[in-house]
Every structure is written in structure tokens, then in C-alpha cells.
Amino acid sequence: MAKILLIEDEQALRQALQDALEYHGYSVITSADGVSGLNLAENENPDLVILDVMLPGLDGFEVCTRLRASGFRSPVLILTARSEEVDRVVGLELGADDYIVKPFSTRELMARVKAHLRRSSNLASSSPSRCSFGDVVVDFPGSTVTRGGKAIPLTSTELTILRLLVERKDEVVSRDQILNVVWGYESLPESRAVDTHIVNLRHKLEPNPGKPKYIITIHGLGYKFIG
Ligand code: CA
């Protein structure tokens, strides 16, 4: 049974989401603020985190940043009440895998939770191989990446995108194909989300992220991995 950590300060919403998640067979732990949420994530190692942005004390962005800095790799879905795109992009830049804008339907949330859990368990179990380029070594089955011998923590979304590009080395992979493989559900986030994850990957793996050598943009078409 997958374990989900829900960090949401609004009591009624927290309870409703907990009930819905439990009804769908997930084990749920909850927190009403960022600090205790972080502690729970570190001690309980959940399979997925649902994280509200507007929290007392430590906000969701800060929680996400600290989680990723500590090497936490499970999917993080952020809940944002604001519809401004800046929030969504900031969340993705800080290492969240996806965002959901409030108000959302339980059905939509469940579809995303399911898609992210399936993807991250596929990544752990059936990944094909290792690859290396430059001073980067990627071990897909072990979900580890090193650069110059130093461990580079990639989120599960970043690893999935990298694996897709590597599997299709020297071919153009479109944003839609990436969206489909990575998110794999009907209500897709805009392709901007793909671009943000690509930027993050370049910062982690490219010698000069502004002039990428390995993860190339093919204008109007998508991305191509050259290894
Ligand atoms: Ca809130």
C-alpha cells in the first residue's frame, strides 16, 4: 500500500483529502504545517507528498526546496490556490513534479496521484540500463546519477524525462510525447512544465546549462539527447 504524506493547513480540506485517499486504498499521514511536514517526510519516507503552497511558518515552496536538498526523491504534487502561472513554474523549478490548482476535483487529484505513483514505481523496477555522457553516469535501475563521481539527486520526474530522452538518443522527442510518458493522464499540464524540468536537468547535468551539449532544444519540435 502506497504511503502518502498530505501537508495542508486547512482542516476541512485536509480531512476530505485524507478520506478520499484512504477510500482509494492509500495509507495517509497528515500534517498541518511545513515544519512538522518536513519531519514526517524525513522519518516516514512517504511514496508521494501532496503539499499545499500557503502554509503557516514554512511555506510549501520552502518545504519542497528543503525536501529536495535532503535527497528526497518521491513525487511531490503541490496544491496552489492561486492561478498565477508564476506559482506553478516556481514549484516545478524547486523540484515539485506537478501542481494542481485549487479548486480541483477529487477525481483529478486521484488520477494524478495514481499516475505519479505508477511512474515512480516503474522507474524503480523496470528501468533498462546505465548510460554515461561527459562526466555524468546514470544508473537507471538504481535511480542514481553521479557527476564527476559526486551524487546528483534527480527527482523522479527528471529521471523519467532523462530516461525517455536517452532511450531515444539522437531522435527528436516532442513535448507532447514527454508529457504523455511522464504525466500520462488526460488533463495534461501545459508544455511549459516540460521546459522547466528540462532546464532543471540541464542545471544538474550540463557543463554549461546555457549552452547545452547533451540535452538539445530542437526549436518548434522538442528535445533531443546527444550522448
Ligand atoms: Ca493553505
Side-chain angles (χ1 to χ4, degrees), residues 69-134:
S70 74
F72 183 81
R73 286 204 300 239
S74 297
V76 175
L77 270 65
I78 55 172
L79 303 180
T80 167
R82 290 173 285 183
S83 58
E84 286 114 32
E85 189 172 358
V86 60
D87 257 23
R88 314 182 200 178
V89 172
V90 165
L92 298 174
E93 282 172 354
L94 297 178
D97 294 84
D98 203 355
Y99 54 82
I100 303 181
V101 179
K102 293 176 179 178
F104 50 85
S105 68
T106 306
R107 198 167 143 252
E108 183 185 5
L109 178 70
M110 291 306 151
R112 295 199 187 195
V113 164
K114 201 172 148 196
H116 282 282
L117 285 171
R118 188 180 51 227
R119 184 174 53 70
S120 64
S121 72
N122 283 347
L123 193 66
S125 64
S126 67
S127 297
S129 60
R130 300 166 64 93
C131 81
S132 60
F133 49 96

Side-chain angles (χ1 to χ4, degrees), residues 32-89:
D33 68 88
V35 174
S36 70
L38 261 181
N39 288 335
L40 274 177
E42 278 155 19
N43 297 328
E44 300 274 337
N45 201 23
D47 301 295
L48 181 141
V49 177
I50 299 173
L51 174 62
D52 189 31
V53 168
M54 300 300 282
L55 291 169
L58 218 52
D59 72 17
F61 293 143
E62 185 61 31
V63 171
C64 189
T65 303
R66 294 195 192 183
L67 273 176
R68 293 309 188 204
S70 74
F72 183 81
R73 286 204 300 239
S74 297
V76 175
L77 270 65
I78 55 172
L79 303 180
T80 167
R82 290 173 285 183
S83 58
E84 286 114 32
E85 189 172 358
V86 60
D87 257 23
R88 314 182 200 178
V89 172

